Amino acid sequence: MEKILENWVTGITLGSIYALISIGMTMVYGLIKVLHVAHASVYVLGAFLGFSIYALTGNIWLAFPAAMAGCALVGYLIYSQIYQRVQDARADITFIISLGLFMAMADAFRLIAGPYSLSFSHTFSFPGYQSGILKITPEQLLVIGSSVLLMGVVWWVVNKTKTGLAWKASAQDREVAMGLGLKVNYYFGLNFIFGSALAGIAGVLVGIYYGQVNPNMGFLWSYKVFVVMVLGGLGNVLGTVIASYFLGIAESFTISYFGYFLPRDAIAFILMIIVLIFLPSGVMGRRQRI
Amino acid sequence: MRSIVIMLCAILLLVPVLAFGADEIKVGYHVPLTGWAAADGQSSLRGAQLAVKFINAAGGINGKKINLIYYDDRVEAKEAVIVARKLIESDKVVGVVSGSYSTPTRAAAPIFNQSKVPYVSTIGTHPEIPVDRKYVIQVAVMSEIHGKVGAKMAAEKLKAKTADLLIMDNDFGMAVTDGFRKMAPTFGIKILNEYKYPLGEKDFRSLLGNIKNDNPDVLWASGYYEEAAQICKQAKEMGVKATIIGQEGYDSPYLFKLGGDAVNGVVITTSLDRGSNRPATKKFFAEFLKDYKIAGDQVAAQAFDGVNVLATGLRKGGSDPDKIVAAITELKNFEDAATGPIMYFAQNQVAIRPIVAQMVKNLAFTSFFITNDKALITP
Amino acid sequence: MIPTYYITVMTFVCINILLSLSVGVLTGYAGQISLGQAAFMGIGAYTAAFVTTKMGLSCWLGIPCSVFAAAIVGFGLGLISLRLKDDFLAIATMGFNFVVVGVLLYAPMFGRALGMGDIPMLSFFDNPLSREAFLGFCVASVVVVILVVWWLQRSWVGLAWRAIREVQEVAEVMGVNITKYKIFAFVVSTAIAGFSGYLYAHFVLFITPYDFVFTNSTFAVTLAVLGGMGTIRGPVLGAIILTVLPEYLRFIQDYRMLTYGLLLVVILLFQPEGLIGNKSFLWRHLTGLRIFRRKPVSVEATQ
């Protein structure tokens, strides 16, 4: 019984992490139909920024806004300097550009911060949760709590604000939206800023949860993001969130009961391919964009 | 079509200039400087460069200074193949040391062997590397040996009767575990369960839950220090009581930085005894700390040893590959090695040395166990 | 006598040209994106290794075996691709790469993480080919494959592929058998990739699953994209540049990957059609040069 509860907690925590990283990327995809691989670099940047601020000030709570601000800025730069210039290029070209950026940034991190993992641990003043055999560590609480909060924010922005409406309109049909006078580029930029800030927070949280940041951490999570995005329907925020938790929980249980019959990423991808065979547009499909 | 022909002609215009060396001895080195193993690559290179510094400061090799020519191989076989060729022909080295993992070393070994360039492997532990290749020398400890010694140590010092195996899925992780599995019955240890995990994994909670239920005396966990730090932390968090046994992959100051208090009480099998009073060991760590402002690790120490072993061969053998290799394989009780004394070289040019175990106390490695048992320490 | 270092690099150039052409066929001509070509190279390589080391057969038998093995799996992937569009297909092929590598990594008969070693060099009646001879074989193979691809794209097949790439719905209406040609594109592309794996195995003589990870698939796509898709010269140039350039960059080897990534970004930002793709700056000006002209052509005629 304890094992089952542990797997639920681990799974939900993992799912929260996947969700936070994926939301930004799926939102970008919904708008400009580009697989923004470099999003993983933004997330790593967030982790490093958070770590640096924490190392400098000793205040863990300052790490979050620092990461958000830094990533928002970088996200906007990536959009304005790169994606905006290749708006009408073929998708695979833009994908390779994003990939090149990702590789360059990963190496830049290595050159600046060194190849070693940096320890990022903090003992929190608030306790974990323990009730009988259910145990949740403070870090897990932080991750799950932050995700729920942020997801609420995302839902509110997407569904209850003018910005969200603009996003949905541009996602549906960019030309028409422009024709109707919508400042599409402005909203695209906003989207990048928003998604990147989320990635920044995700980076800090992952850094704290595993107690380390290193230049290669982007590689580890970026593949999961693809799986989650596909399962949830590319561009579909709600689907992505549901898929994230589903994947996190499914992985934890599968590994617990069956072990690694394949590396973790391969397991996730097999799951994805099976789903795709039956539902070629993901679980939520194209029914709802953003 | 024309375009392709013209292009192919254009390639022939790309002819880089070959370099010529002065009065120096060129030693080649390949190591992952970029890519996922860049951390170990940097340690390895530093260890090698420290060795070169010592040797040159002491007068070099028969009066000539060593020039360490190093290249990045990104832990890729195909890069190693290209780099091997470059070292042999463009740089015209007299010997090469590999500071890289098994895959590139294994790919490059036949090339160096065929060209009769002595090649020393420092952390590549693939069993096939030196086999039937008389110019390839193995200074790294063959993985299985860790496992075999680990079993004896677990039974005798930790009084273990039951064990779970947590196995990293790459060649190193699996080979060290093979040794443990093989010897466990001999020492009265029963293996309850085996759990494999992929290299690079960060979250072990699902498996640790199962291990906790098994409740073994010891947990034999193969991995590098990054995985190890997470395993120790998460095991403690989840309440796993078993003593964790690791191997030399754990040996790095980062184990403590990343793992924190959770690492205390962990035991590892390795060739490097940090508690030892051997002058070579002490000197290496003192100088490393001074030069690089960070504590040395196993990888750096092995690299250091590899370069020293090759240098010894070069001193006695000059530039004759057969003499160089003979000089090395005839070494007995080579004390200049920072990791530990090399007792002798066995068949297939494999260095044999005593294996130790270290226990972590107060975030430092301390001596715990040592064995010279021939049955265990020879491959 | 050419130093073996150059021969080694040239051999890798040939292998990469084949890999790049396999992407060119699938994505450049037929418009189907695949981020899993490295997996097919791996299938070809492991088949070649298996045939020679485990089954003890002649190394030349490896050619049909590797090509066939890769093509069969490619056929399967082609079938799956019929249901998937664009980015879903891209991610599915990426996933496929991970699964293949995972299987190779965990299957005992493929040597798991230790890989398969001691693969024999190609030999002619018990005489192993010298490196020069092997390079010759590689170059000959590249020429053959280029000719095949060129012939294919000039034929009805090429026309059908172009139709599928540009205006799939229209092509369907006009009676083009989309299914047949899509699957054919996959089969041809993966067969070429499998063959490149065969050459790789018989050159490096030691293979591990890590040689065929997803990163190498993106490398393959990069090769084709950089040169310019939709042509033969594009992938060839891309392969040449991206195999030779890292060697030149060794003097700044600490910054190699950074340079590489930035170059990719910058080149593609300004020349999304690739360096010598059909609409690129270089190509338009090169074909405008007199030495390229067979007969007097007006400048407007250069496409």
Side-chain angles (χ1 to χ4, degrees):
Chain A
M1 187 56 197
E2 190 175 0
K3 185 162 103 163
I4 297 182
L5 281 176
E6 275 164 359
N7 281 323
W8 274 105
V9 172
T10 309
I12 293 179
T13 316
L14 272 180
S16 304
I17 296 176
Y18 295 159
L20 281 176
I21 305 178
S22 316
I23 290 182
M25 195 154 151
T26 214
M27 281 170 67
V28 165
Y29 185 83
L31 282 190
I32 62 174
K33 308 289 182 292
V34 165
L35 284 172
H36 175 37
V37 180
H39 189 70
S41 297
V42 174
Y43 143 81
V44 176
L45 177 69
F48 273 103
L49 282 176
F51 167 80
S52 313
I53 296 292
Y54 175 64
L56 278 174
T57 65
N59 184 336
I60 192 84
W61 303 107
L62 271 182
F64 291 97
M68 277 175 66
C71 290
L73 177 64
V74 170
Y76 179 70
L77 281 174
I78 294 179
Y79 170 66
S80 57
Q81 299 311 309
I82 299 185
Y83 290 121
Q84 205 171 2
R85 287 184 207 258
V86 285
Q87 264 182 19
D88 295 306
R90 289 170 48 154
D92 31 353
I93 310 275
T94 324
F95 175 75
I96 300 283
I97 295 180
S98 198
L99 195 69
L101 189 62
F102 172 62
M103 280 165 40
M105 282 178 78
D107 220 39
F109 291 134
R110 180 187 63 86
L111 287 167
I112 299 175
Y116 295 100
S117 295
L118 302 167
S119 169
F120 189 4
S121 64
H122 175 91
T123 23
F124 285 94
S125 47
F126 58 86
Y129 177 81
Q130 181 116 31
S131 141
I133 47 173
L134 172 63
K135 179 178 169 191
I136 310 182
T137 66
E139 290 79 18
Q140 283 171 329
L141 268 181
L142 180 68
V143 169
I144 299 177
S146 315
S147 315
V148 169
L149 185 66
L150 287 169
M151 247 146 278
V153 170
V154 170
W155 180 85
W156 180 78
V157 168
V158 167
N159 289 309
K160 297 282 180 198
T161 64
K162 190 174 98 173
T163 310
L165 200 60
W167 289 341
K168 288 194 207 182
S170 322
Q172 275 202 340
D173 198 319
R174 199 176 105 214
E175 270 93 20
V176 170
M178 276 168 75
L180 288 175
L182 201 61
K183 280 183 301 183
V184 164
N185 282 330
Y186 167 75
Y187 285 106
F188 280 13
L190 219 53
N191 183 309
F192 263 85
I193 291 178
F194 189 65
S196 305
L198 275 177
I201 298 180
V204 177
L205 285 173
V206 171
I208 295 176
Y209 187 49
Y210 289 108
Q212 55 166 243
V213 299
N214 72 68
N216 289 329
M217 58 194 281
F219 289 94
L220 195 66
W221 303 96
S222 56
Y223 305 130
K224 281 315 163 45
V225 172
F226 288 117
V227 174
V228 158
M229 277 176 53
V230 164
L231 284 178
L234 288 170
N236 186 322
V237 173
L238 181 63
T240 305
V241 170
I242 295 178
S244 303
Y245 282 100
F246 172 69
L247 188 66
I249 295 170
E251 269 182 359
S252 298
F253 275 96
T254 310
I255 291 167
S256 182
Y257 287 95
F258 298 108
Y260 286 94
F261 55 89
L262 279 182
R264 196 194 273 263
D265 286 337
I267 296 178
F269 276 114
I270 283 190
L271 193 65
M272 183 194 85
I273 291 178
I274 293 176
V275 169
L276 278 182
I277 292 180
F278 296 105
L279 296 164
S281 290
V283 176
M284 301 280 283
R286 298 209 153 107
R287 262 177 287 141
Q288 181 196 342
R289 285 232 168 250
I290 295 232
Chain B
M1 265 313 154
R2 289 167 292 157
S3 49
I4 298 187
V5 172
I6 303 217
M7 248 179 353
L8 288 172
C9 291
I11 303 175
L12 293 176
L13 295 175
L14 312 171
V15 180
V17 181
L18 297 178
F20 283 96
D23 211 15
E24 54 178 15
I25 298 199
K26 296 206 213 155
V27 170
Y29 200 76
H30 66 93
V31 69
L33 291 176
T34 60
W36 60 272
D40 271 349
Q42 191 177 78
S43 284
S44 174
L45 184 62
R46 282 174 168 172
Q49 286 174 327
L50 195 65
V52 170
K53 188 179 110 167
F54 281 5
I55 295 172
N56 285 346
I61 297 193
N62 301 332
K64 297 193 198 163
K65 298 233 186 275
I66 296 184
N67 179 2
L68 191 74
I69 301 179
Y70 63 91
Y71 292 116
D72 180 14
D73 68 11
R74 301 181 56 79
V75 194
E76 280 176 24
K78 79 173 209 263
E79 290 287 314
V81 165
I82 297 180
V83 162
R85 291 273 158 225
K86 195 165 159 76
L87 283 172
I88 296 175
E89 280 148 31
S90 306
D91 301 299
K92 299 201 189 329
V93 293
V94 289
V96 178
V97 177
S98 160
S100 190
Y101 293 173
S102 290
T103 303
T105 311
R106 170 75 180 78
I111 298 179
F112 287 115
N113 192 58
Q114 200 184 40
S115 301
K116 300 205 182 144
V117 174
Y119 184 50
V120 178
S121 167
T122 60
I123 56 174
T125 53
H126 195 295
E128 285 173 23
I129 291 175
V131 171
D132 291 333
R133 286 185 252 276
K134 63 182 274 218
Y135 297 101
V136 177
I137 297 160
Q138 180 60 281
V139 159
V141 174
M142 304 305 288
S143 316
E144 261 207 17
I145 296 178
H146 284 280
K148 296 199 282 188
V149 170
K152 177 175 161 103
M153 186 265 311
E156 288 181 14
K157 291 275 301 197
L158 298 173
K159 312 277 184 264
K161 294 265 182 300
T162 57
D164 260 0
L165 306 179
L166 183 58
I167 315 170
M168 181 168 63
D169 72 356
N170 75 344
D171 47 354
F172 175 65
M174 310 232 300
V176 297
T177 315
D178 285 343
F180 187 88
R181 202 190 288 115
K182 213 190 294 191
M183 281 287 150
T186 319
F187 292 108
I189 300 179
K190 178 161 184 275
I191 297 180
L192 301 173
N193 265 314
E194 300 192 14
Y195 303 98
K196 200 161 59 168
Y197 73 87
L199 167 68
E201 180 61 72
K202 288 259 180 306
D203 205 312
F204 299 91
R205 295 183 170 89
S206 307
L207 293 181
L208 286 169
N210 292 346
I211 294 173
K212 189 166 72 168
N213 284 345
D214 294 340
N215 203 17
D217 292 327
V218 292
L219 172 63
W220 171 267
S222 59
Y224 297 119
Y225 57 85
E226 292 230 7
E227 289 84 16
Q230 296 298 339
I231 293 175
C232 294
K233 267 186 13 176
Q234 291 165 14
K236 180 164 174 200
E237 194 182 279
M238 297 184 66
V240 172
K241 299 216 178 46
T243 306
I244 298 180
I245 306 179
Q247 310 77 33
E248 64 183 15
Y250 284 38
D251 188 321
S252 160
Y254 283 91
L255 179 70
F256 312 127
K257 287 194 197 198
L258 299 174
D261 289 324
V263 181
N264 281 325
V266 165
V267 179
I268 67 170
T269 63
T270 174
S271 51
L272 170 57
D273 186 353
R274 285 166 190 271
S276 116
N277 284 320
R278 296 176 63 245
T281 310
K282 285 180 129 46
K283 183 170 177 212
F284 170 75
F285 282 101
E287 292 290 323
F288 195 97
L289 186 60
K290 198 173 76 166
D291 277 5
Y292 299 117
K293 314 275 182 292
I294 186 179
D297 58 15
Q298 171 88 24
V299 169
Q302 294 272 147
F304 182 85
D305 292 346
V307 173
N308 272 317
V309 163
L310 182 64
T312 311
L314 290 172
R315 229 172 246 128
K316 297 203 188 122
S319 48
D320 180 334
D322 292 291
K323 290 204 184 124
I324 297 174
V325 171
I328 295 177
T329 49
E330 280 160 5
L331 287 173
K332 297 257 185 294
N333 296 321
F334 182 72
E335 281 290 339
D336 279 347
T339 49
I342 296 180
M343 292 156 59
Y344 62 94
F345 279 84
Q347 191 191 35
N348 281 324
Q349 308 82 241
V350 176
I352 303 295
R353 53 229 318 216
I355 303 296
V356 304
Q358 310 262 281
M359 177 179 271
V360 179
K361 285 199 185 126
N362 293 325
L363 296 187
F365 287 115
T366 59
S367 302
F368 189 66
F369 176 82
I370 183 169
T371 179
N372 283 353
D373 188 339
K374 270 230 171 60
L376 299 178
I377 64 175
T378 42
Chain C
M1 196 76 293
I2 309 179
T4 330
Y5 169 51
Y6 298 137
I7 297 192
T8 305
V9 176
M10 299 293 299
T11 312
F12 279 118
V13 166
C14 293
I15 293 177
N16 284 337
I17 289 180
L18 289 178
L19 191 61
S20 166
L21 280 174
S22 84
V23 174
V25 163
L26 189 59
T27 315
Y29 288 127
Q32 307 299 302
I33 188 155
S34 167
L35 292 176
Q37 296 302 91
F40 291 101
M41 190 174 171
I43 292 176
Y46 268 86
T47 310
F50 202 78
V51 158
T52 46
T53 57
K54 292 282 168 74
M55 290 170 56
L57 298 171
S58 152
C59 46
W60 300 100
L61 266 180
I63 300 182
C65 290
S66 300
V67 170
F68 189 66
I72 281 267
V73 181
F75 181 79
L77 192 63
L79 284 174
I80 297 182
S81 83
L82 293 174
R83 304 205 6 130
L84 302 174
K85 298 281 288 288
D86 305 320
D87 293 310
F88 284 97
L89 180 61
I91 299 179
T93 52
M94 173 202 288
F96 173 73
N97 201 153
F98 275 88
V99 172
V100 167
V101 170
V103 167
L104 289 173
L105 199 56
Y106 281 40
M109 73 175 183
F110 292 120
R112 294 215 184 109
L114 282 172
M116 296 181 77
D118 288 331
I119 303 172
M121 175 52 103
L122 294 182
S123 41
F124 221 47
F125 297 116
D126 283 343
N127 286 328
L129 290 182
S130 69
R131 272 171 245 287
E132 288 81 1
F134 186 75
L135 175 62
F137 177 64
C138 288
V139 172
S141 312
V142 167
V143 170
V144 165
V145 170
I146 287 181
L147 285 172
V148 167
V149 173
W150 181 72
W151 176 77
L152 273 177
Q153 63 105 339
R154 287 197 79 198
S155 70
W156 283 115
V157 178
L159 209 56
W161 284 345
R162 212 170 309 148
I164 295 176
R165 183 179 88 224
E166 309 279 337
V167 280
Q168 181 167 326
E169 293 80 12
V170 174
E172 217 161 0
V173 165
M174 303 268 282
V176 176
N177 189 336
I178 305 280
T179 308
K180 183 168 95 176
Y181 288 108
K182 261 195 193 176
I183 295 187
F184 187 59
F186 267 94
V187 168
V188 169
S189 156
T190 56
I192 300 177
F195 184 55
S196 80
Y198 168 84
L199 289 176
Y200 178 87
H202 282 289
F203 183 58
V204 181
L205 309 180
F206 169 64
I207 56 178
T208 62
Y210 301 109
D211 296 332
F212 308 109
V213 287
F214 168 67
T215 328
N216 292 0
S217 288
T218 58
F219 179 64
V221 175
T222 309
L223 295 175
V225 162
L226 189 71
M229 294 249 245
T231 62
I232 292 187
R233 57 182 189 268
V236 172
L237 181 71
I240 294 175
I241 293 183
L242 289 179
T243 311
V244 174
L245 190 63
E247 295 304 309
Y248 276 98
L249 291 181
R250 275 196 198 275
F251 66 96
I252 43 162
Q253 52 188 352
D254 215 23
Y255 302 93
R256 226 174 9 155
M257 281 298 126
L258 180 68
T259 317
Y260 184 90
L262 285 177
L263 253 151
L264 221 53
V265 173
V266 167
I267 292 180
L268 287 178
L269 265 184
F270 293 105
Q271 285 284 267
E273 290 298 319
L275 283 173
I276 52 172
N278 280 324
K279 301 201 187 86
S280 72
F281 176 86
L282 267 179
W283 188 245
R284 277 182 287 135
H285 282 76
L286 275 177
T287 46
L289 290 176
R290 264 181 213 289
I291 57 167
F292 276 90
R293 298 211 212 133
R294 285 205 198 105
K295 50 184 190 269
V297 202
S298 63
V299 178
E300 283 84 23
T302 43
Q303 164 77 354

